[in-house]
Amino acid sequence: MSHEVPETAGDAFDRRMMEHALGLARQAAALGEVPVGALIVREGKIVSQAFNLRETLHDPTAHAERLALTLAGRGLGSWRLEGCTLYVTLEPCAMCAGAIVQSRVQRLVYGAVDRKAGACQSLYRLVDDRRMNHRVELASGILAEECGEILSLFFHDRRGFPKLR
């Protein structure tokens, strides 16, 4: 499904798209899923969106990014997602970073870093490794505080600590 999104220049557009991804992350949290949201945009239009569904689908690969990539490929009729930007609230893991490279996404924008599993800048640099056949433009730290906070609150609440809110 495609949603019209008026294209604007740079940071403002990236922030709006990340706010949308945060809304998706909140939907994941409401289902008891790790709150990560992702969407794919091409030519100013949202072509797919998803959030984590590993618990719901009993699928270890049901990360927000991977689901958004699959839906975008189906919606666009091609596995090659050239000209697309992937927005995600958390730095992708190795599985998702590999899928991003394989799908030929042009640009990746993420919010919070993942120091334990991040495969774009934190632990590994899969998306812009010169040895790969495709490299992805990268922008990080967009609404990083908000993206990190939703994850921190989720895990704090899950571990049985008093609510921080």
Side-chain angles (χ1 to χ4, degrees):
M1 176 174 16
S2 177
H3 302 304
E4 288 287 334
V5 179
E7 185 81 49
T8 61
D11 290 345
F13 185 76
D14 286 350
R15 289 178 63 83
R16 280 208 327 273
M17 293 301 96
M18 192 60 70
E19 287 168 359
H20 188 91
L22 276 164
L24 295 167
R26 288 184 193 94
Q27 291 179 49
L31 293 175
E33 297 280 354
V34 174
V36 177
L39 57 119
I40 296 181
V41 175
R42 180 191 265 174
E43 297 174 358
K45 295 178 185 172
I46 296 172
V47 295
S48 70
Q49 58 186 9
F51 49 79
N52 274 1
L53 285 172
R54 292 190 322 166
E55 301 297 333
T56 302
L57 298 177
H58 310 291
D59 179 353
T61 70
H63 290 197
E65 308 95 299
R66 202 209 43 81
L67 295 170
L69 291 167
T70 297
L71 292 170
R74 287 182 187 158
L76 295 171
S78 176
W79 63 267
R80 290 179 183 88
L81 302 181
E82 295 159 337
C84 290
T85 298
L86 169 61
Y87 292 87
V88 62
T89 56
L90 180 65
E91 179 181 3
C93 68
M95 173 185 67
C96 293
I100 291 165
V101 170
Q102 291 299 315
S103 68
R104 310 300 195 267
V105 164
Q106 178 179 337
R107 186 168 177 256
L108 168 64
V109 179
Y110 70 85
V113 299
D114 186 347
R115 299 192 196 297
K116 294 182 180 180
C120 299
Q121 291 180 306
S122 296
L123 294 179
Y124 308 102
R125 295 192 64 105
L126 296 179
V127 298
D128 62 358
D129 188 315
R130 292 181 182 275
R131 298 169 293 179
M132 303 296 272
N133 65 335
H134 175 74
R135 282 170 291 291
V136 180
E137 297 170 30
L138 191 58
S140 61
I142 307 298
L143 299 181
E145 188 174 321
E146 295 90 334
C147 292
E149 182 178 327
I150 192 171
L151 288 157
S152 294
L153 289 171
F154 176 82
F155 286 114
H156 190 270
D157 293 350
R158 294 277 300 237
R159 292 180 180 120
F161 295 109
K163 302 270 187 214
L164 292 175
R165 295 174 228 150

